[in-house]
Amino acid sequence: MHRQYRLTFQDKGDATKFVREVEQLKASYKPNDTISLQGFFHLILGFMGAIEFEFSETQLYNLGMFSQAITDFEAIYKQIKLKDIKYFLGYIVGYAKWNYEEGGADDPTKINAIKIMTVHRAKGLQFPVVFVPHLIEGLFPIRARNSNRWLIPTNLFNVQRYEGNLEDERRLFYVAITRSEKFLFLSTHQYKKNYPGLQNEPSRFLREFPQAKTLTQPIPDPTHREKLDLKLAAPLKRFATSYSDLRYYDHCPYDYKLRFIFGFNPEISIALGYGRSIHNILNIIHSKYLTNPPSDEEILKIVEQNFFLRYCTQEFIDRFKQSAIRIIKNYIERFSGEFNLILETEKQFEFALEQALISGQIDLIKKFNEKGELEAIEIVDFKERDLSEMTTDYVKQLRLYAIAAMRSLGFQPKRAVVHHLDEGTRSEVDISEEALKSMEFEVKETIENIISRRFPKKAKKKSCDICDWKWICTKREK
Ligand code: SF4
């Protein structure tokens, strides 16, 4: 352990202290105690000195990918006990090791950049220019494997299904060559690396390719040709984001970087899904009110059927459910008189803002008055108390939704309102032209900062104390 630790972290940190802290952590749990693997992971990184010195970018990408693998495991094996940690190790060695790519491939800021990926990973994607190199017989198509390698007798299952055959390889080649929108480059090479005397045979797929449609010789020197203006009319690919993501940049740009660039996942909150459940239930109730208002009994039934918390014990689920019922009943009691003004519920939007594509969902769009003119609508967003502690800036959120309602949905909202479900109150947000202009400017600036990879520290003790990364962030304010 001591040796490995020193090797990994170039002698920085105190290995003895690390071992002691891990032992203390282990001793504080009994075999039957439920544990949070993600929480353990963050703590262990902290013990290794993650808040004292910077990991390299590659290490952070890979640690972020490991964090993602933990979340995927916890999503299936909820409430893991300490004694069952061996199953997680089995998952890492037997599955994750082979099925998770190196971290960094999904970095959302790498737009309009060269992507290097396997053909399998490119399925469903398209690019203006595609290179398929290394087309060598025996590699693509791959040489048939030796069937003796199977531990199970091969007459007991369909071997071909698992080994693939020439036609599977041909289909894969078809996937590769149909990824290109404009130019496709296929290449092979003659000599084997480290074997100067031996020559490669070009792939049969390359030989079979219709020669009439290919350029196999260099084209004439294009120096004196008439040049076109190659300025792009629009970005080739946009940076996909949402307000839910951008708000982390406002909280702290470094928080955004750890979460979305390196891919770290926070510890799963037991209340995860609470807000989503309430939104889904309200959506059903709103829709029902338009045709046949549900009775109290039906409302309770809707809650029963649609309230889910994946990571909670039954005791907590019951408590959260009671709180949800109280909130929903209170909301209906006070505001059901206005339900006839509802125009759209859970309305999805997507609009381009310079290099970004912003998507989201507006909880409710209402006509402003009984006349029901489309010109006069009100957008509403529901807020229950933020159980994650990080408060959402609902003013910004509603302003962005107002812009979305105009750009993406063709509405002209006159009012934007937040329903604070817990308190049963509403607040109106200024969505005047001036306010929206300044909001748009702010969002553009944030997007520009993200794409240019500017993630300065914005550490304030208060933010750091409630931050998901307080155990692993070198920039934390103590
Ligand atoms: S711990 Fe502080 S500095 Fe680090 S990401 Fe969180 S808020 Fe930012």
Side-chain angles (χ1 to χ4, degrees):
M1 168 84 79
H2 186 82
R3 203 167 130 253
Q4 268 186 359
Y5 179 60
R6 286 161 63 90
L7 274 176
T8 312
F9 298 105
Q10 293 111 34
D11 288 348
K12 291 173 191 161
D14 179 347
T16 319
K17 183 168 163 271
F18 168 72
V19 173
R20 195 176 58 240
E21 283 174 327
V22 171
E23 289 303 332
Q24 277 170 359
L25 179 66
K26 261 168 69 183
S28 61
Y29 283 86
K30 295 189 193 72
N32 272 324
D33 283 350
T34 303
I35 56 164
S36 154
L37 284 173
Q38 194 71 251
F40 267 32
F41 176 54
H42 289 197
L43 277 176
I44 288 170
L45 288 180
F47 297 161
M48 286 172 130
I51 54 171
E52 308 296 337
F53 65 91
E54 288 278 357
F55 288 94
S56 71
E57 277 229 330
T58 311
Q59 284 172 330
L60 282 168
Y61 276 126
N62 288 327
L63 289 169
M65 188 54 82
F66 190 72
S67 173
Q68 178 61 54
I70 294 175
T71 299
D72 294 345
F73 181 83
E74 288 190 309
I76 297 167
Y77 297 93
K78 294 160 278 215
Q79 299 177 21
I80 304 147
K81 294 192 177 3
L82 182 65
K83 64 176 185 180
D84 293 334
I85 210 162
K86 55 183 180 284
Y87 298 120
F88 173 67
L89 300 179
Y91 164 78
I92 291 295
V93 176
Y95 178 80
K97 201 171 152 191
W98 312 107
N99 289 284
Y100 286 81
E101 302 248 337
E102 291 246 317
D106 293 329
D107 183 335
T109 61
K110 289 182 183 162
I111 48 175
N112 298 337
I114 294 171
K115 304 254 180 193
I116 299 174
M117 60 182 75
T118 60
V119 181
H120 286 287
R121 206 176 148 81
K123 275 183 191 161
L125 304 175
Q126 284 214 299
F127 303 92
V129 185
V130 168
F131 294 84
V132 187
H134 211 44
L135 285 167
I136 290 169
E137 192 66 22
L139 288 176
F140 201 3
I142 198 156
R143 190 165 293 120
R145 298 171 188 103
N146 179 1
S147 287
N148 293 335
R149 73 197 174 101
W150 294 100
L151 293 175
I152 304 168
T154 48
N155 59 345
L156 294 180
F157 67 104
N158 181 356
V159 184
Q160 270 204 354
R161 189 167 157 228
Y162 295 93
E163 291 194 333
N165 56 28
L166 182 61
E167 287 320 300
D168 291 327
E169 289 289 289
R170 201 181 294 283
R171 275 190 281 275
L172 197 60
F173 182 65
Y174 176 79
V175 170
I177 61 176
T178 50
R179 298 310 89 205
S180 84
E181 291 167 328
K182 276 180 175 265
F183 300 106
L184 171 67
F185 291 84
L186 303 173
S187 64
T188 184
H189 55 96
Q190 211 172 0
Y191 296 104
K192 284 184 193 280
K193 197 178 167 198
N194 302 332
Y195 296 95
L198 294 175
Q199 288 198 2
N200 290 315
E201 188 189 342
S203 162
R204 72 185 71 191
F205 296 155
L206 193 60
R207 285 183 272 126
E208 289 167 4
F209 205 82
Q211 298 296 310
K213 298 201 184 316
T214 59
L215 286 170
T216 52
Q217 297 300 319
I219 52 172
D221 181 357
T223 318
H224 303 297
R225 76 194 191 285
E226 196 183 328
K227 287 185 183 152
L228 297 172
D229 181 5
L230 287 180
K231 246 189 252 152
L232 289 173
L236 291 177
K237 196 173 170 208
R238 292 184 189 277
F239 163 66
T241 189
S242 65
Y243 177 74
S244 320
D245 291 0
L246 294 177
R247 71 191 175 123
Y248 289 105
Y249 194 93
D250 285 346
H251 172 240
C252 170
Y254 199 69
D255 175 346
Y256 186 95
K257 188 176 189 184
L258 288 171
R259 197 179 295 267
F260 297 110
I261 307 298
F262 294 130
F264 279 90
N265 282 229
E267 193 174 344
I268 291 173
S269 150
I270 57 162
L272 190 73
Y274 177 76
R276 189 68 259 153
S277 286
I278 292 192
H279 277 65
N280 289 344
I281 291 164
L282 287 181
N283 188 25
I284 296 169
I285 291 173
H286 286 139
S287 314
K288 285 202 180 284
Y289 253 91
L290 295 181
T291 48
N292 194 9
S295 63
D296 277 5
E297 212 174 287
E298 279 169 316
I299 289 170
L300 284 180
K301 208 166 148 198
I302 293 170
V303 175
E304 275 305 323
Q305 288 171 344
N306 295 281
F307 190 84
F308 304 110
L309 291 179
R310 293 173 61 107
Y311 301 99
C312 253
T313 57
Q314 194 55 46
E315 187 198 337
F316 277 106
I317 293 177
D318 292 342
R319 266 202 245 168
F320 280 122
K321 200 185 283 175
Q322 284 316 311
S323 150
I325 291 171
R326 180 184 57 76
I327 284 173
I328 290 164
K329 278 191 165 171
N330 185 20
Y331 168 71
I332 293 173
E333 222 171 272
R334 298 200 52 188
F335 300 109
S336 59
E338 300 174 11
F339 286 1
N340 59 331
L341 299 176
I342 293 172
L343 208 57
E344 301 270 7
T345 61
E346 304 274 318
K347 186 69 184 167
Q348 300 205 337
F349 65 79
E350 192 175 79
F351 70 101
L353 192 64
E354 300 209 329
Q355 294 189 74
L357 189 66
I358 301 180
S359 58
Q361 191 167 284
I362 301 173
D363 290 339
L364 204 63
I365 299 182
K366 288 163 67 186
K367 295 173 234 166
F368 189 55
N369 55 34
E370 290 289 354
K371 286 185 200 152
E373 303 148 17
L374 282 189
E375 289 301 300
I377 67 155
E378 172 183 328
I379 49 178
V380 177
D381 199 60
F382 297 113
K383 290 272 167 278
E384 64 288 341
R385 199 183 317 130
D386 196 340
L387 296 162
S388 68
E389 294 189 86
M390 195 185 102
T391 47
T392 303
D393 185 338
Y394 63 78
V395 175
K396 279 190 180 173
Q397 183 175 10
L398 263 280
R399 285 181 183 159
L400 191 66
Y401 285 6
I403 296 171
M406 290 191 273
R407 300 267 176 89
S408 164
L409 307 174
F411 292 132
Q412 290 298 323
K414 295 278 187 270
R415 273 165 43 109
V417 173
V418 179
H419 275 265
H420 307 279
L421 288 174
D422 251 324
E423 294 89 13
T425 56
R426 307 204 263 208
S427 335
E428 189 164 340
V429 170
D430 172 14
I431 53 165
S432 61
E433 206 182 323
E434 203 179 309
L436 296 191
K437 246 192 203 160
S438 110
M439 179 65 207
E440 189 170 331
F441 178 79
E442 233 180 276
V443 175
K444 278 183 186 167
E445 200 176 41
T446 302
I447 289 164
E448 174 61 32
N449 282 337
I450 293 172
I451 292 174
S452 312
R453 298 175 73 83
R454 285 192 282 269
F455 301 105
K457 157 185 166 177
K458 189 175 151 189
K460 290 197 186 108
K461 193 173 175 318
K462 209 169 139 227
S463 305
C464 294
D465 284 349
I466 58 160
C467 182
D468 287 329
W469 322 118
K470 55 178 176 275
W471 302 114
I472 57 175
C473 174
T474 45
K475 308 200 181 327
R476 174 181 166 188
E477 197 65 49
K478 293 178 204 106

